[in-house]
């Protein structure tokens, strides 16, 4: 079955976003109050933790704006897909790679970017990644054919993979105590709202057709922002400590090579499988990816036994609640990506919503998702450990409500927007407290490793969400009258079920707390 997005719809074809860093606490982290730093935080040399003063706010704004641009670019292109296809005479496969190429290079290189930041310095890698991303955005906006655009999108993803893992490491090195908790809340809000706001901003820019440029502003909008950040970042980011002993850990080239191959073999079939009709090569790639992930784990365990520095420290995996938090984060991102995919297709291809109207509809979810990320700490302390599970239950109810609101081919009326608001709030509660907990369980020396790990978990969750839940929607489109409404009704049940399963995982942690 061909993907409707290539025939006029504009849903996300491949999910995306990414991130993590770490912090140090005086014991097992909890959600019952702000963590306080203890022990030898990474404060040697010129990098001082607990940065205070007027420049701290500018530093936070700088790195989070870089984060936001990178996340935005995962989704902003989706609503421009039909115009890109018409203007560049792109084939269906080429258009798929325009949208997915960024995601593939981004996911494959995230762990590498995290380790390079550890070796070469987080400030240096952030600025380098930002420069690559900004230059590639300009090149994308000026591309004259689909081949050029695909190549520049791959370079864009590479820039993001260098830049994104440094964000939370810089937060960890810069803020402590309550200041760090506030910074993480803002970070979670930015991360959580990037997907829906990307859809919204893309719809606005494409509909505006600025200077007759059509789809090009969705890329060119990054250029002035990136240029401004490149002027500001070297002045406000803490200098890298060249004496940091962690720099002697090495790059672990065998581990990086095997992991990159494993992630590539996993992501390419997930991104292209539906468009290509799930051919045999896709299943072979998925099978090989499982084998390579097993080989990667064996190599890392062997390196650790020999006293080396594996890409993902065992301390990160053993941190209290880390694996459970990773499952909840992956579940939340999967249902978020699957929801964006199915709803965008249904609203535009079936209900005839314009790109602008679809984008503005997603803004309801984006605002509530981001708002929860900023405000959940104001809720009573006794509630906080219950929030992730409760949030995913709210999301499950909202998905069921969306299925009812859009049943029979109707546009949902006010019910659509109410469900989007509650859905955003529920996913925000599922994501932000869980993410904060995961970060507050990791020691500062493992900041880069945890950053790459959680970024990859988030990214793969989104890919799996579109591959599984998006495919479910697409495969139900041939069922009788009002096929899109029927397909979304089935998908909404699956979204609700996956959200409820995530809630069970989150509440299972709470029962043993």
């Amino acid at each position: 079955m061909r993907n409707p997005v290539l025939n006029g719809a504009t849903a996300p074809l491949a999910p995306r976003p990414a991130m993590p860093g770490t912090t140090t606490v005086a014991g097992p982290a909890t959600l019952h109050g702000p963590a306080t730093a203890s022990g030898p935080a990474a404060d040697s040399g010129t990098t001082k933790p607990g940065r205070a003063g007027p420049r701290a706010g500018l530093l936070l704004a700088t790195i989070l704006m870089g984060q936001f641009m990178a996340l935005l670019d995962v989704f902003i292109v989706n609503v421009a897909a039909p115009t890109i296809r018409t203007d560049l005479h792109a084939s269906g496969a080429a258009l798929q790679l325009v949208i997915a190429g960024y995601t593939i290079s981004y996911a494959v290189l995230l762990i590498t970017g995290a380790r390079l930041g550890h070796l070469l310095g987080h400030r240096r890698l952030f600025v380098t990644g930002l420069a690559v991303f900004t230059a590639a955005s300009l090149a994308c906006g000026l591309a004259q054919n689909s081949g050029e655009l695909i190549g520049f999108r791959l370079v864009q993803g590479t820039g993001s993979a260098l830049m994104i893992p440094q964000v939370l490491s810089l937060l960890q090195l810069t803020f402590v105590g309550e200041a760090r908790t506030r910074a993480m809340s803002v970070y979670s809000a930015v991360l959580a709202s990037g997907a829906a706001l990307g859809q919204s901003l893309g719809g606005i820019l494409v509909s505006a057709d600025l200077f007759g440029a059509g789809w090009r502003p969705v890329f060119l909008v990054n250029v002035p922002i990136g240029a401004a950040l490149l002027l500001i970042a070297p002045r406000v980011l803490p200098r890298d400590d060249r004496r940091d002993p962690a720099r002697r850990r090495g790059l672990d080239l065998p581990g990086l090579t095997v992991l990159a191959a494993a992630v590539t073999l996993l992501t390419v079939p997930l991104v292209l499988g539906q468009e290509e009709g799930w051919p045999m090569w896709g299943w072979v790639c998925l099978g090989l990816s499982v084998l390579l992930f097993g080989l990667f784990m064996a190599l890392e365990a062997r390196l650790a036994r020999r006293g080396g520095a594996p890409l993902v420290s065992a301390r990160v995996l053993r941190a209290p609640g880390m694996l459970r938090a990773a499952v909840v984060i992956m579940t939340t991102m999967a249902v978020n990506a699957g929801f964006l995919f199915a709803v965008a297709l249904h609203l535009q291809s079936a209900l005839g919503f314009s790109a602008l109207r679809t984008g503005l509809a997603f803004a309801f979810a984006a605002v509530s998702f981001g708002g929860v990320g900023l405000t959940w700490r104001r809720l009573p302390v006794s509630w906080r450990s219950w929030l992730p599970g409760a949030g995913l239950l709210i999301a499950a109810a909202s998905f069921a409500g969306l299925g009812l609101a859009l049943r029979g081919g109707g546009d949902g009326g006010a019910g659509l927007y109410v469900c989007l608001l509650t859905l955003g709030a529920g996913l925000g509660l599922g994501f932000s407290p869980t993410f904060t907990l995961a970060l507050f369980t990791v020691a500062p020396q493992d900041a880069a490793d945890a950053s790459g790990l959680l970024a990859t978990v988030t990214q793969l969750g989104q890919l799996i969400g579109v591959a599984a839940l998006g495919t479910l929607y697409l495969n139900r489109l041939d069922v009788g009258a009002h096929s899109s409404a029927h397909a979304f009704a089935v998908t909404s049940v699956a979204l609700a079920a996956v959200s409820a399963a995530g809630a069970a995982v989150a509440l299972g942690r709470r029962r043993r707390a």
Side-chain angles (χ1 to χ4, degrees):
M1 177 186 297
R2 289 187 56 78
N3 191 327
V5 75
L6 303 182
N7 297 314
T10 62
L13 291 176
R16 2 299 188 178
M19 42 270 170
T22 67
T23 125
T24 176
V25 293
T30 72
L31 291 176
H32 295 288
T36 56
S38 70
D43 59 352
S44 58
T46 56
T47 300
K48 302 292 184 183
R51 186 182 185 97
R55 297 183 73 184
L58 184 58
L59 181 151
L60 182 63
T62 299
I63 58 178
L64 291 186
M65 181 55 73
Q67 170 91 49
F68 183 71
M69 281 201 308
L71 294 178
L72 200 70
D73 238 62
V74 173
F75 295 94
I76 196 172
V77 182
N78 292 311
V79 293
T83 2
I84 292 174
R85 183 176 190 178
T86 300
D87 189 31
L88 298 183
H89 307 289
S91 66
L95 185 62
Q96 181 86 331
L97 287 172
V98 167
I99 296 173
Y102 179 95
T103 301
I104 293 171
S105 60
Y106 179 40
V108 168
L109 296 173
L110 272 170
I111 294 286
T112 304
R115 177 52 64 91
L116 287 175
H118 214 52
L119 292 173
L120 304 177
H122 303 299
R123 177 178 184 264
R124 178 182 299 175
L125 261 292
F126 180 87
V127 173
T128 300
L130 177 61
V132 171
F133 177 85
T134 303
S137 296
L138 176 61
C140 287
L142 300 177
Q144 297 303 303
N145 56 62
S146 59
E148 290 182 4
L149 187 54
I150 291 168
F152 295 141
R153 284 286 280 171
L154 291 169
V155 176
Q156 251 194 332
T158 301
S160 291
L162 296 177
M163 175 173 57
I164 293 304
Q166 319 315 323
V167 172
L168 280 174
S169 293
L170 286 167
L171 288 180
Q172 185 269 336
L173 293 170
T174 303
F175 300 93
V176 296
E178 181 63 23
R180 179 181 293 160
T181 305
R182 288 194 299 269
M184 291 298 181
S185 295
V186 179
Y187 171 83
S188 295
V190 168
L191 188 67
S193 59
L197 285 178
Q199 301 278 91
S200 303
L201 183 58
I204 292 170
L205 290 174
V206 172
S207 298
D209 192 20
L210 299 173
F211 309 108
W215 54 270
R216 298 180 187 274
V218 303
F219 298 109
L220 297 177
V221 68
N222 295 322
V223 177
I225 300 172
L229 294 180
L230 284 170
L231 291 175
I232 297 169
R235 293 169 171 78
V236 301
L237 298 187
R239 293 185 180 277
D240 298 316
D241 180 11
R242 298 184 180 182
R243 297 172 294 173
D244 186 351
R247 290 199 174 195
R248 296 194 292 269
R249 295 176 65 190
L251 192 58
D252 183 17
L253 283 175
L256 281 173
T257 302
V258 173
L259 181 62
V263 175
T264 301
L265 289 171
L266 175 64
T267 55
V268 171
L270 290 179
V271 167
L272 299 178
Q274 176 63 38
E275 169 64 17
E276 299 297 322
W278 294 105
M280 180 57 67
W281 65 259
W283 296 108
V284 171
C285 287
L286 290 174
L288 289 174
S289 73
V290 174
L291 295 177
L292 287 182
F293 277 119
L295 176 60
F296 170 74
M297 293 173 65
L299 288 173
E300 297 301 281
R302 180 184 179 190
L303 182 61
R305 287 195 301 268
R306 293 183 172 186
L311 288 176
V312 180
S313 167
R315 291 188 303 272
V316 173
L317 298 177
R318 289 196 301 263
M322 174 61 73
L323 292 179
R324 188 175 295 274
V327 171
V328 174
I329 289 169
M330 180 176 283
T331 300
T332 305
M333 291 296 99
V335 295
N336 185 47
F339 145 72
L340 288 172
F341 182 94
V343 172
L345 274 176
H346 181 63
L347 293 183
Q348 293 184 83
S349 62
L351 301 185
F353 279 30
S354 67
L356 177 60
R357 186 178 176 187
T358 302
L360 292 178
F362 282 123
F364 283 80
V367 168
S368 58
F369 203 152
V372 165
L374 290 172
T375 59
W376 66 267
R377 291 184 304 108
R378 299 179 185 178
L379 295 171
V381 171
S382 60
W383 295 10
R384 292 182 181 176
S385 58
W386 295 94
L387 293 180
L392 286 172
L393 289 176
I394 292 171
S398 299
F399 284 130
L402 276 174
L404 291 173
L406 296 174
R407 70 186 185 282
D411 65 6
L416 169 66
Y417 303 101
V418 171
C419 288
L420 289 173
L421 275 173
T422 58
L423 176 60
L427 292 177
L429 287 172
F431 179 84
S432 297
T434 305
F435 195 73
T436 301
L437 172 64
L439 296 178
F440 273 84
T441 61
V442 184
Q445 64 266 33
D446 297 320
D449 293 351
S451 178
L453 173 65
L454 291 181
T456 304
V457 165
T458 303
Q459 188 70 18
L460 292 179
Q462 293 178 346
L463 282 167
I464 291 168
V466 167
L469 298 166
T471 297
L472 175 63
Y473 170 81
L474 294 172
N475 285 343
R476 302 298 296 178
L477 285 180
D478 295 331
V479 181
H482 304 296
S483 63
S484 182
H486 173 82
F488 183 74
V490 173
T491 305
S492 69
V493 172
L495 288 166
V498 175
S499 299
V505 173
L507 293 173
R509 175 187 59 77
R510 170 63 184 86
R511 286 194 298 270
R512 288 193 291 271

